[in-house]
Amino acid sequence: MTQAAETARTVIMTVDDDPGVSRAVARDLRRRYGAGHRIVRAESGESALQALRELKLRGELVAVIIADYRMPGMNGIEFLEQAMDVHPAARRVLLTAYADTNAAIDAINVVDLDHYLLKPWDPPEEKLYPVLDDLLAAWRAGDHKPVPSTKVVGHRFSARSSEVREFLARNQVPYRWYSADEPEGGRLLSAAGQDGRRLPVVITADGTPLVEPGTADLAAHVGLATTPAADFYDLVVIGGGPAGLGAAVYGASEGLRTVLVERSATGGQAGQSSRIENYLGFPDGVSGAQLTDRARRQAAKFGAEILTAREVTGLEVNGAARTVRFSDGSAIAAHSVILATGVSYRELTAPGTEALTGCGVFYGSALTEAAACQGNDVYIVGGANSAGQAAMYLARGAKSVTLLVRGESLAASMSHYLIQQIEETPNIVVRCGTVVESAHGDGRLEGLTLRDAHSGQRELVDAQWLFVFIGAAPLTDWLDGTVERDERGFILAGPDLTADGRPPAGWELDRAPYHLETSVPGVFVAGDARHESAKRVASAVGEGAMAVMLVHRYLEQS
């Protein structure tokens, strides 16, 4: 451990119910160790335990605990026994009078005592410091590391635990995962005052425990912006995928007061991709997370405001203003709006899959689960690029990866370069004309029933991991009655609105809608949510930039 890390995090605690003795011990400790350690003192076992729990939640390290033996309510041995449950690596010292030497010796077996010191300890240079020097050296040899980041305690096969981990990962929030049934997870739960019946428990970097937090509450506590800084903007971008991020970058860089609103995590489906190899300017490929992080930082650099965990539920026209309403009843308004809501993966309708979602069945790549797939058989449903990219990524560590494709081949929906890579990867198997008929498992996925789409023949296979990448359902139901959409819910814009030579219903301007303009003037669409869009990252980014150009044109003529 570096001296900097030790200085910032390592604690020496002293506990004594006699205020005079407590101050004297702390004084001697600060004189010798104050420059490199934080000295914490308490005057009762209960208050010391509370302090230890708070230190645990904040991820601070406790190197040595010095406790007086004779304390009312809870003696030093009883205190150290409970302290072991919170900070088991801390070195333990009992401060005792000569008459209590036998009790101190017995404590060596009861609480694995490292040392006992007789009162008085003067001079400390002879009786205190040499002991502490040796204990600190022994503690440092254990290579302890501070864990100040957000901590998540939950169960591996828990849908909500999986959602929380995915939310934090996709929003670039560093965190550490602890299983509730492992010792350190249990210690964190105990420090947070929880018994493990309500999970997950998220412990923020400042030590605040959140029990089964909602997405908005979680976002607010881990430092993500959730509240708009103003009531009115030049441009509101709804959706944080490639199209939305592209619009935010170009809008903000060109002087528009821009806010981007994302209901979950920036990046959209592309942000979940393990590797994008056909995006211009990245010949060696780039992960969706890396591309998203760069785009988000770029938008923020130009002054775009980014709101996370805010769900938009309505769009209203109020004169020249376009009002965006949120699920909590609040609203913001702007001169213009770009709809970049993207699409979501369709859910499997096979029996058993709904109950096992997050417990072995995942929609999208769920990269936080990839490490747990090491050495296992993995199944992927889907035949487009996102499924192929996930197969290549998971094949690095999985025993086998089986692509289940409803169609006759991959050629109709997957890029040629990905098909070639899959063919060259020995542990990837492609089964065309195959569908998932049902999923089985008690609390977690244990098996799948597969059906041949042609012969109807069924096969039961063992499976612990199923990743689903099927179809593209637009996230536009909240726009019903506001903007025109096609029969599948994709938003109509520009020429698609005037295919019959007439303007859309309710259109009051003496011009036709611009290329990406919807049936509501000043409201534009970009990316996968648009009718007949290309469903590629590059085209989504390009449409986001083009939409901003059309926003300028609209504002100039308004």
Side-chain angles (χ1 to χ4, degrees):
M1 174 182 294
T2 65
Q3 183 66 31
E6 186 174 296
T7 299
R9 294 294 174 186
T10 304
V11 169
I12 298 175
M13 171 175 277
T14 173
V15 190
D16 197 304
D17 66 301
D18 185 323
V21 174
S22 178
R23 286 193 294 269
V25 175
R27 179 199 64 216
D28 287 343
L29 291 174
R30 287 194 183 96
R31 185 191 312 160
R32 172 83 167 202
Y33 305 105
H37 301 77
R38 189 152 71 88
I39 311 303
V40 175
R41 72 182 184 93
E43 295 183 2
S44 73
E46 285 296 342
S47 63
L49 285 172
Q50 181 60 33
L52 288 173
R53 294 187 187 105
E54 292 174 1
L55 292 167
K56 184 74 173 181
L57 294 177
R58 292 200 298 268
E60 297 192 50
L61 300 175
V62 178
V64 177
I65 303 172
I66 304 172
D68 184 54
Y69 173 63
R70 287 184 177 270
M71 294 189 294
M74 180 187 299
N75 67 37
I77 297 175
E78 294 168 338
F79 161 71
L80 288 173
E81 189 171 13
Q82 294 190 46
M84 286 173 63
D85 295 333
V86 186
H87 291 273
R91 301 292 166 165
R92 293 169 288 279
V93 178
L94 194 67
L95 194 61
T96 181
Y98 181 79
D100 298 318
T101 301
N102 288 335
I105 294 173
D106 291 340
I108 294 174
N109 296 319
V110 176
V111 296
D112 194 20
L113 195 69
D114 293 289
H115 204 91
Y116 66 89
L117 289 172
L118 295 176
K119 301 183 200 177
W121 60 90
D122 290 328
E125 289 78 9
E126 295 181 12
K127 297 183 178 181
L128 178 63
Y129 298 154
V131 172
L132 266 292
D133 287 345
D134 289 343
L135 292 177
L136 287 170
W139 182 85
R140 281 193 294 268
D143 192 29
H144 307 285
K145 296 180 180 179
V147 187
S149 62
T150 297
K151 295 175 275 289
V152 180
V153 185
H155 285 305
R156 169 69 64 185
F157 295 101
S158 157
R160 185 54 187 158
S161 294
S162 177
E163 290 169 1
V164 165
R165 295 175 66 197
E166 194 74 7
F167 176 83
L168 294 174
R170 293 188 60 200
N171 280 291
Q172 308 293 316
V173 178
Y175 75 92
R176 290 280 299 272
W177 163 259
Y178 299 88
S179 179
D181 54 8
E182 293 179 351
E184 185 64 10
R187 284 189 282 270
L188 287 168
L189 288 176
S190 177
Q194 297 297 313
D195 57 10
R197 285 182 287 185
R198 297 179 61 197
L199 295 172
V201 173
V202 178
I203 302 165
T204 64
D206 65 0
T208 302
L210 308 174
V211 182
E212 297 180 319
T215 301
D217 189 34
L218 177 60
H221 277 86
V222 297
L224 299 174
T226 59
T227 305
D231 297 324
F232 197 90
Y233 296 84
D234 293 320
L235 172 62
V236 174
V237 180
I238 303 174
L245 287 167
V249 167
Y250 281 94
S253 67
E254 294 173 10
L256 298 177
R257 291 172 296 168
T258 302
V259 59
L260 183 150
V261 181
E262 167 55 47
R263 68 172 188 157
S264 178
T266 50
Q269 285 188 339
Q272 295 178 279
S273 176
S274 55
R275 195 153 199 83
I276 303 169
E277 295 192 61
N278 59 349
Y279 188 65
L280 185 67
F282 292 90
D284 298 320
V286 62
S287 74
Q290 289 173 322
L291 191 63
T292 296
D293 181 53
R294 293 177 183 182
R296 183 183 178 114
R297 287 189 285 113
Q298 193 173 17
K301 182 188 76 170
F302 287 122
E305 190 179 335
I306 299 176
L307 304 182
T308 305
R310 295 305 300 266
E311 184 173 3
V312 177
T313 57
L315 176 64
E316 300 172 3
V317 177
N318 295 305
R322 305 292 179 259
T323 302
V324 173
R325 296 207 172 274
F326 298 118
S327 57
D328 64 357
S330 62
I332 56 175
H335 291 300
S336 59
V337 173
I338 294 177
L339 303 172
T341 51
V343 296
S344 64
Y345 294 113
R346 289 194 176 94
E347 295 186 2
L348 286 174
T349 57
T353 54
E354 182 178 359
L356 294 171
T357 298
C359 304
V361 177
F362 302 94
Y363 290 88
S365 56
L367 296 182
T368 54
E369 303 296 332
C373 297
Q374 297 285 320
N376 292 331
D377 297 312
V378 177
Y379 288 81
I380 296 175
V381 179
N385 277 8
S386 53
Q389 290 159 352
M392 291 300 302
Y393 179 76
L394 293 169
R396 299 175 186 174
K399 178 182 178 183
S400 71
V401 175
T402 302
L403 266 175
L404 305 174
V405 185
R406 179 185 291 271
E408 296 302 314
S409 73
L410 295 173
S413 54
M414 188 178 292
S415 295
H416 180 65
Y417 81 91
L418 263 177
I419 296 175
Q420 287 184 310
Q421 290 179 357
I422 288 171
E423 290 174 346
E424 295 168 359
T425 305
N427 62 334
I428 297 181
V429 177
V430 180
R431 295 184 55 168
C432 294
T434 305
V435 297
V436 174
E437 186 165 88
S438 60
H440 319 284
D442 182 12
R444 63 156 297 177
L445 179 66
E446 297 171 358
L448 297 170
T449 297
L450 308 180
R451 177 172 55 83
D452 187 290
H454 300 295
S455 67
Q457 184 176 352
R458 293 171 175 81
E459 177 187 0
L460 178 62
V461 297
D462 292 332
Q464 288 76 48
W465 306 96
L466 177 68
F467 298 91
V468 182
F469 302 82
I470 55 172
L475 303 170
T476 60
D477 288 347
W478 60 279
L479 290 167
D480 188 35
T482 305
V483 301
E484 290 193 22
R485 302 177 296 153
D486 65 17
E487 65 279 1
R488 295 184 298 159
F490 291 94
I491 299 169
L492 298 169
D496 294 319
L497 288 167
T498 57
D500 59 1
R502 294 179 298 177
W507 187 266
E508 299 178 352
L509 302 182
D510 58 2
R511 62 168 177 82
Y514 296 134
H515 181 64
L516 297 177
E517 196 169 20
T518 70
S519 57
V520 177
V523 177
F524 300 82
V525 62
D528 292 358
R530 184 178 64 82
H531 172 74
E532 297 296 338
S533 63
K535 308 295 188 294
R536 289 290 186 267
V537 175
S539 61
V541 174
E543 287 189 7
M546 183 186 295
V548 171
M549 179 191 73
L550 297 174
V551 165
H552 281 293
R553 188 180 301 175
Y554 167 78
L555 294 176
E556 289 167 0
Q557 297 180 4
S558 297

